[in-house]
Amino acid sequence: MIRKLRMTNFRGVKEGEIELGDLTILVGSNNSAKTTILEALFLLPNPLRDVPYILPEPRMRLTAASLIHEMHKTLNCEGYAFLLHKYVSDQAIVKWNDTDYLRLLKQLDELYLDTNKISKFPSQSTIKTKSGEVSIFGSLGLSHNTISDLSPRNREVFIAPNSLLISAEIIRYAQWYIHSNWAQIANLKVPVEVAKDTSSLVDENFVNITIEPFLAGRLSIFGLLDDGTRIRLGDLGSGTQVYIVARILYEIIKPQILLWDDVEAHVNPRLLVRIAEWFSELNESGVQVVITTHSIETARMLTEFNKDATILVTSLKDGILKIKKITSDDLEMLTLAGIDIRMADAVIL
């Protein structure tokens, strides 16, 4: 597990450190680095690794880095300069558990990838820096989308516990991955188990998840009901869609860390209870969970199912990340005081 994370010049964070638990709930105002923390944890295993998301046009399997790029893409701008603080820092460093690090070094129009675990990579190269030669295992374009992995085998290396990122805004990319890998997914009986679980959350009795032709022969993902009828995944509630996809991806990837951004998005109370139960089950099996939320009710619900949950209020000012650990009693105090969780940093920090 990752117990401590330190970021230097990474995205909006000039400097900051955070300690994580088995289940960590990040709360705070907008632009307080909650998502940035998740993205750092998502990139750590290897920014070059393939992740279970596919870009439909052009059809392309996304890497951890390119998925984050798609999430932040604005108009027709390209490149990975957004990973650097203020877009211009010479390097960004993400360090975990005090000993290991991932570093992004800016040289001309490239961001070179460096780590103290460089020996794990079968293919390496060196670049010259002011402090001497540095071994690197790949690079990201600073103002273009080119990714260099030196060798396809470098994508298979993990330097930190593998992590899976879930967010409502990237579910469409996950659906294309599910479509492209359906034979593997179906043969593992994952859809049947997920369908049964989903039935406890909606007023329908699903027995399977399928991919079948819809109108004009075009394929769609369906929930198969016990009476033989079908409902398209896209016609279910948005929260249910996200949960189904999250469960399928988890069963395929089996990550050691699950990351979920804005876990309450489109989620009704009934589904939130099931998600809270699932997080507890994951913790019991040794999986670390880190989530963000803007909802005080969501944070309270999650702590009811996991009394040892770590609740952290985040604040970001002038690039300095501040963290304050609070308790479920503090959440109750904020509720009674009528304080929006997005204003918690103004009260607590």
Side-chain angles (χ1 to χ4, degrees), residues 44 75 97 99 139 166 172 176 203 271 313:
L44 274 187
L75 295 179
N97 295 345
T99 56
S139 65
I166 301 297
R172 63 189 183 279
W176 282 105
D203 295 324
L271 178 54
V313 179

Side-chain angles (χ1 to χ4, degrees), residues 77-176:
C77 65
E78 296 184 345
Y80 294 86
F82 72 94
L83 294 175
L84 299 173
H85 184 60
K86 299 292 187 181
Y87 314 116
V88 296
S89 297
D90 290 334
Q91 64 179 9
I93 302 174
V94 181
K95 189 174 184 179
W96 70 100
N97 295 345
D98 290 327
T99 56
D100 301 315
Y101 67 84
L102 170 70
R103 179 167 57 165
L104 291 77
L105 293 165
K106 183 174 72 174
Q107 293 273 356
L108 298 176
D109 200 30
E110 298 291 330
L111 277 178
Y112 292 101
L113 302 174
D114 162 45
T115 176
N116 63 312
K117 295 191 172 185
I118 192 68
S119 61
K120 288 180 172 287
F121 291 91
S123 183
Q124 305 167 27
S125 183
T126 59
I127 59 170
K128 291 183 178 180
T129 68
K130 295 178 181 179
S131 57
E133 287 194 345
V134 174
S135 295
I136 57 102
F137 62 90
S139 65
L140 309 172
L142 193 67
S143 62
H144 54 89
N145 285 353
T146 303
I147 295 179
S148 172
D149 53 18
L150 302 181
S151 163
R153 292 178 59 198
N154 278 6
R155 296 192 178 204
E156 302 170 2
V157 173
F158 291 86
I159 59 175
N162 193 16
S163 57
L164 173 66
L165 177 63
I166 301 297
S167 170
E169 66 178 290
I170 57 176
I171 287 303
R172 63 189 183 279
Y173 303 138
Q175 292 180 2
W176 282 105

Side-chain angles (χ1 to χ4, degrees), residues 246-261:
R247 289 300 306 269
I248 290 176
L249 294 189
Y250 172 79
E251 294 300 332
I252 295 301
I253 303 301
K254 292 292 187 181
Q256 294 153 291
I257 304 176
L258 178 69
L259 311 167
W260 195 322
D261 199 18

